[in-house]
Amino acid sequence: MGVWLRAKETAEQVRAEVAAEAERQRANGTIPKIAALVVGNDPASVYYAETKRKVAAKLGIEFELMMQPGDVTQEQLIRIVSEWSRDAAVHGIMLELPLPAHISTSAVAEAIDPLKDVDGVTPANRLAGMTGEPGLVPATPQSCIRLLKAYGYTLEGKNVTLVGRGQTVGLPLFHMLQREQATVTVCHSRTPDLAFHLKHADIVVAAVGKPGIITWEMIRPGTIVIDAGIHELPDGRITGDVDPHAIEVAEAMSPVPGGVGTLTTALLFENAMRAIWLQQQAGREAAR
Ligand code: NAP
């Protein structure tokens, strides 16, 4: 039986640091503020945004939640995020994804000031995620790596099998894992023998979006498993991509819920604090 890699303690630590930084900013006259945009009435998007609003309140961060109808135009969305980008009182911009099919996500993302892009979706921050240049990197891939490190696991020289190459989790994580000096194998929907690649891994990271797609039989004893998947079952329970029974063969495994997602929310607000710092640094450079 392996060890559950629970994120509660690390997330609490990150939140305490964020609250202290928010307090420090307030004392210096900056009231940290995030603006979030939800388009349509997708229950998951509304739920995530409401959760962030509650966390923000606890951390001393102002949170403006703007809801737009599903038939809003791309131009209207671009106008909203452009205004927030110009507004000095807004320090972070969050765009709940997915957007409706008639809207180009990248066109809206491009209108966000990269220094306020706490989700790391702008082209400048995507590049920063690839190269390691300073920027704002998406929180979920960060969470996968921070969770491993919190339990003392290192990535250098390890064989990591990453399942999923999506824009939100898999693709940015691929670059981050390589920068941590891991040897990364990326599996996706066209990978014919997923089990083969999983058996050769020291560390498995699942970022697919299909409940239980990785069964316990696919996991080699001694493997460390990070499960970034989140699904709500018809009975309301939350589950991940990996069969929870895999804990019986794995050395360690992150639970769902209580793992990657728990830390992700905290890291999103850590990104917001970093965004304020980047904006203040840019302001100082412009004043020189
Ligand atoms: P996505 O864009 O839909 O990407 C899914 C990936 O899974 C794709 O690369 C796809 O391959 C691959 N895939 C699909 N079927 C597969 C199969 N049978 N075998 C192997 N790979 C397969 O998803 P995402 O937005 O990156 O999100 C991935 C998961 O993370 C979701 O469960 C999402 O809910 C979760 N998530 C969690 C958090 C968190 O905080 N924990 C945050 C965001 C997202 P192709 O590229 O070939 O299509």
Side-chain angles (χ1 to χ4, degrees):
M1 178 87 178
V3 173
W4 284 114
L5 304 177
R6 299 189 195 280
K8 190 169 175 267
E9 211 174 295
T10 310
E12 275 168 6
Q13 204 179 322
V14 172
R15 282 196 297 267
E17 284 163 12
V18 169
E21 178 57 18
E23 179 59 36
R24 198 184 69 79
Q25 288 291 346
R26 280 178 174 268
N28 289 335
T30 299
I31 297 173
K33 180 176 174 183
I34 286 172
L37 183 57
V38 175
V39 182
N41 50 8
D42 170 44
S45 295
V46 175
Y47 172 79
Y48 286 136
E50 288 291 353
T51 304
K52 288 170 199 167
R53 191 204 327 238
K54 284 182 203 149
V55 176
K58 285 186 191 153
L59 298 177
I61 296 172
E62 297 208 345
F63 196 90
E64 178 185 344
L65 178 53
M66 183 184 281
M67 316 281 276
Q68 286 291 319
D71 60 357
V72 66
T73 66
Q74 186 170 300
E75 289 65 36
Q76 282 171 302
L77 295 184
I78 289 175
R79 201 175 316 122
I80 291 165
V81 297
S82 301
E83 273 170 25
W84 284 340
S85 292
R86 284 191 297 270
D87 184 349
V90 171
H91 305 99
I93 299 171
M94 292 178 184
L95 191 59
E96 274 319 319
L97 300 178
L99 296 177
H102 68 281
I103 309 257
S104 156
T105 303
S106 54
V108 181
E110 277 171 31
I112 297 175
D113 177 351
L115 300 179
K116 299 186 180 184
D117 171 26
V118 291
D119 287 322
V121 294
T122 57
N125 283 322
R126 288 210 173 275
L127 188 63
M130 280 183 212
T131 59
E133 296 286 308
L136 295 164
V137 179
T140 307
Q142 277 193 61
S143 173
C144 296
I145 292 179
R146 290 274 282 269
L147 196 51
L148 283 167
K149 289 186 176 175
Y151 280 84
Y153 291 112
T154 53
L155 283 150
E156 185 171 340
K158 300 285 163 56
N159 291 320
V160 178
T161 295
L162 171 61
V163 190
R165 55 180 173 181
Q167 296 284 332
T168 318
V169 192
L171 191 59
L173 184 54
F174 165 66
H175 296 290
M176 290 163 75
L177 289 166
Q178 291 200 93
R179 283 210 314 282
E180 294 284 339
Q181 313 297 351
T183 303
V184 190
T185 301
V186 182
C187 299
H188 44 78
S189 64
R190 310 298 164 90
T191 302
D193 189 353
L194 184 57
F196 171 84
H197 297 286
L198 295 175
K199 290 281 182 205
H200 288 83
D202 301 311
I203 298 171
V204 166
V205 185
V208 180
K210 292 190 175 163
I213 188 170
I214 297 177
T215 64
W216 71 267
E217 294 95 332
M218 293 174 166
I219 300 296
R220 183 174 57 84
T223 308
I224 297 143
V225 181
I226 297 290
D227 189 353
I230 302 181
H231 319 272
E232 189 175 351
L233 297 174
D235 63 6
R237 280 182 303 132
I238 303 293
T239 185
D241 288 339
V242 186
D243 174 0
H245 290 107
I247 190 69
E248 283 157 34
V249 284
E251 177 178 319
M253 176 167 156
S254 67
V256 181
V260 173
T262 301
L263 186 52
T264 295
T265 314
L267 292 175
L268 203 51
F269 288 99
E270 187 182 79
N271 264 2
M273 292 303 111
R274 184 166 163 70
I276 294 180
W277 182 80
L278 289 170
Q279 286 157 49
Q280 290 173 340
Q281 194 191 40
R284 280 192 293 273
E285 276 167 19
R288 266 194 217 136

mmCIF file of all heavy atoms in Angstrom, residues 1-3 219-225 245-253:
data_model
loop_
_atom_site.group_PDB
_atom_site.id
_atom_site.type_symbol
_atom_site.label_atom_id
_atom_site.label_comp_id
_atom_site.label_asym_id
_atom_site.label_seq_id
_atom_site.Cartn_x
_atom_site.Cartn_y
_atom_site.Cartn_z
ATOM 1 N N MET A 1 0.845 -1.208 0.000
ATOM 2 C CA MET A 1 0.000 0.000 0.000
ATOM 3 C C MET A 1 0.878 1.256 0.000
ATOM 4 O O MET A 1 1.757 1.401 0.857
ATOM 5 C CB MET A 1 -0.869 -0.047 1.268
ATOM 6 C CG MET A 1 -1.769 1.153 1.452
ATOM 7 S SD MET A 1 -3.334 0.942 0.589
ATOM 8 C CE MET A 1 -4.160 2.437 1.042
ATOM 9 N N GLY A 2 0.667 2.120 -0.979
ATOM 10 C CA GLY A 2 1.502 3.317 -1.083
ATOM 11 C C GLY A 2 1.023 4.458 -0.189
ATOM 12 O O GLY A 2 0.058 4.330 0.558
ATOM 13 N N VAL A 3 1.721 5.573 -0.324
ATOM 14 C CA VAL A 3 1.412 6.762 0.483
ATOM 15 C C VAL A 3 0.549 7.703 -0.362
ATOM 16 O O VAL A 3 0.854 7.941 -1.540
ATOM 17 C CB VAL A 3 2.745 7.485 0.832
ATOM 18 C CG1 VAL A 3 2.488 8.810 1.529
ATOM 19 C CG2 VAL A 3 3.634 6.575 1.656
ATOM 20 N N ILE A 219 -0.110 -0.060 -13.567
ATOM 21 C CA ILE A 219 0.920 0.606 -12.753
ATOM 22 C C ILE A 219 1.923 -0.421 -12.231
ATOM 23 O O ILE A 219 1.540 -1.426 -11.623
ATOM 24 C CB ILE A 219 0.252 1.376 -11.579
ATOM 25 C CG1 ILE A 219 -0.718 2.448 -12.115
ATOM 26 C CG2 ILE A 219 1.290 1.987 -10.642
ATOM 27 C CD1 ILE A 219 -0.074 3.572 -12.921
ATOM 28 N N ARG A 220 3.198 -0.154 -12.485
ATOM 29 C CA ARG A 220 4.270 -1.038 -12.000
ATOM 30 C C ARG A 220 4.483 -0.779 -10.504
ATOM 31 O O ARG A 220 4.473 0.381 -10.077
ATOM 32 C CB ARG A 220 5.551 -0.694 -12.777
ATOM 33 C CG ARG A 220 6.756 -1.536 -12.476
ATOM 34 C CD ARG A 220 7.900 -1.178 -13.425
ATOM 35 N NE ARG A 220 8.267 0.246 -13.380
ATOM 36 C CZ ARG A 220 9.094 0.783 -12.490
ATOM 37 N NH1 ARG A 220 9.662 0.035 -11.575
ATOM 38 N NH2 ARG A 220 9.379 2.071 -12.517
ATOM 39 N N PRO A 221 4.679 -1.829 -9.707
ATOM 40 C CA PRO A 221 4.926 -1.580 -8.285
ATOM 41 C C PRO A 221 6.083 -0.607 -8.097
ATOM 42 O O PRO A 221 7.095 -0.695 -8.795
ATOM 43 C CB PRO A 221 5.264 -2.979 -7.741
ATOM 44 C CG PRO A 221 4.569 -3.920 -8.663
ATOM 45 C CD PRO A 221 4.624 -3.271 -10.020
ATOM 46 N N GLY A 222 5.915 0.333 -7.188
ATOM 47 C CA GLY A 222 6.976 1.305 -6.906
ATOM 48 C C GLY A 222 6.846 2.609 -7.677
ATOM 49 O O GLY A 222 7.621 3.540 -7.456
ATOM 50 N N THR A 223 5.874 2.693 -8.567
ATOM 51 C CA THR A 223 5.700 3.930 -9.362
ATOM 52 C C THR A 223 5.072 5.034 -8.498
ATOM 53 O O THR A 223 4.302 4.752 -7.581
ATOM 54 C CB THR A 223 4.769 3.652 -10.566
ATOM 55 O OG1 THR A 223 5.265 2.511 -11.264
ATOM 56 C CG2 THR A 223 4.683 4.829 -11.510
ATOM 57 N N ILE A 224 5.415 6.275 -8.820
ATOM 58 C CA ILE A 224 4.777 7.428 -8.169
ATOM 59 C C ILE A 224 3.759 7.981 -9.166
ATOM 60 O O ILE A 224 4.103 8.194 -10.337
ATOM 61 C CB ILE A 224 5.835 8.483 -7.801
ATOM 62 C CG1 ILE A 224 6.802 7.871 -6.777
ATOM 63 C CG2 ILE A 224 5.204 9.744 -7.234
ATOM 64 C CD1 ILE A 224 8.200 8.295 -6.972
ATOM 65 N N VAL A 225 2.539 8.173 -8.711
ATOM 66 C CA VAL A 225 1.450 8.557 -9.628
ATOM 67 C C VAL A 225 0.864 9.910 -9.225
ATOM 68 O O VAL A 225 0.495 10.115 -8.065
ATOM 69 C CB VAL A 225 0.321 7.486 -9.611
ATOM 70 C CG1 VAL A 225 -0.792 7.863 -10.583
ATOM 71 C CG2 VAL A 225 0.873 6.095 -9.931
ATOM 72 N N HIS A 245 -7.536 2.263 -6.746
ATOM 73 C CA HIS A 245 -6.910 1.021 -6.266
ATOM 74 C C HIS A 245 -5.428 0.952 -6.633
ATOM 75 O O HIS A 245 -4.696 0.121 -6.087
ATOM 76 C CB HIS A 245 -7.632 -0.213 -6.829
ATOM 77 C CG HIS A 245 -8.990 -0.396 -6.230
ATOM 78 N ND1 HIS A 245 -10.144 -0.143 -6.933
ATOM 79 C CD2 HIS A 245 -9.370 -0.751 -4.986
ATOM 80 C CE1 HIS A 245 -11.181 -0.342 -6.142
ATOM 81 N NE2 HIS A 245 -10.743 -0.714 -4.957
ATOM 82 N N ALA A 246 -4.991 1.821 -7.543
ATOM 83 C CA ALA A 246 -3.566 1.833 -7.922
ATOM 84 C C ALA A 246 -2.680 2.152 -6.716
ATOM 85 O O ALA A 246 -1.493 1.818 -6.713
ATOM 86 C CB ALA A 246 -3.330 2.849 -9.045
ATOM 87 N N ILE A 247 -3.241 2.766 -5.669
ATOM 88 C CA ILE A 247 -2.464 3.057 -4.448
ATOM 89 C C ILE A 247 -1.920 1.752 -3.851
ATOM 90 O O ILE A 247 -0.907 1.758 -3.156
ATOM 91 C CB ILE A 247 -3.325 3.834 -3.404
ATOM 92 C CG1 ILE A 247 -2.483 4.360 -2.239
ATOM 93 C CG2 ILE A 247 -4.456 2.993 -2.869
ATOM 94 C CD1 ILE A 247 -1.535 5.436 -2.535
ATOM 95 N N GLU A 248 -2.581 0.629 -4.150
ATOM 96 C CA GLU A 248 -2.137 -0.645 -3.562
ATOM 97 C C GLU A 248 -0.836 -1.142 -4.188
ATOM 98 O O GLU A 248 -0.123 -1.937 -3.583
ATOM 99 C CB GLU A 248 -3.253 -1.689 -3.691
ATOM 100 C CG GLU A 248 -4.344 -1.436 -2.642
ATOM 101 C CD GLU A 248 -5.693 -2.015 -2.991
ATOM 102 O OE1 GLU A 248 -5.719 -3.090 -3.622
ATOM 103 O OE2 GLU A 248 -6.704 -1.365 -2.651
ATOM 104 N N VAL A 249 -0.509 -0.677 -5.398
ATOM 105 C CA VAL A 249 0.764 -1.085 -6.024
ATOM 106 C C VAL A 249 1.766 0.076 -6.104
ATOM 107 O O VAL A 249 2.974 -0.147 -6.085
ATOM 108 C CB VAL A 249 0.565 -1.675 -7.444
ATOM 109 C CG1 VAL A 249 0.020 -3.073 -7.390
ATOM 110 C CG2 VAL A 249 -0.298 -0.783 -8.306
ATOM 111 N N ALA A 250 1.252 1.294 -6.174
ATOM 112 C CA ALA A 250 2.147 2.458 -6.327
ATOM 113 C C ALA A 250 2.943 2.702 -5.044
ATOM 114 O O ALA A 250 2.522 2.298 -3.961
ATOM 115 C CB ALA A 250 1.320 3.701 -6.653
ATOM 116 N N GLU A 251 4.097 3.383 -5.216
ATOM 117 C CA GLU A 251 4.840 3.814 -4.011
ATOM 118 C C GLU A 251 4.078 4.979 -3.356
ATOM 119 O O GLU A 251 4.000 5.089 -2.140
ATOM 120 C CB GLU A 251 6.252 4.271 -4.397
ATOM 121 C CG GLU A 251 7.034 4.802 -3.204
ATOM 122 C CD GLU A 251 8.449 5.203 -3.569
ATOM 123 O OE1 GLU A 251 9.109 4.483 -4.351
ATOM 124 O OE2 GLU A 251 8.894 6.257 -3.064
ATOM 125 N N ALA A 252 3.543 5.839 -4.221
ATOM 126 C CA ALA A 252 2.797 7.007 -3.736
ATOM 127 C C ALA A 252 1.864 7.464 -4.847
ATOM 128 O O ALA A 252 2.143 7.240 -6.031
ATOM 129 C CB ALA A 252 3.761 8.127 -3.366
ATOM 130 N N MET A 253 0.768 8.120 -4.450
ATOM 131 C CA MET A 253 -0.200 8.567 -5.463
ATOM 132 C C MET A 253 -0.992 9.752 -4.931
ATOM 133 O O MET A 253 -1.315 9.796 -3.736
ATOM 134 C CB MET A 253 -1.146 7.396 -5.767
ATOM 135 C CG MET A 253 -2.254 7.712 -6.715
ATOM 136 S SD MET A 253 -3.020 6.163 -7.262
ATOM 137 C CE MET A 253 -4.629 6.752 -7.707
#
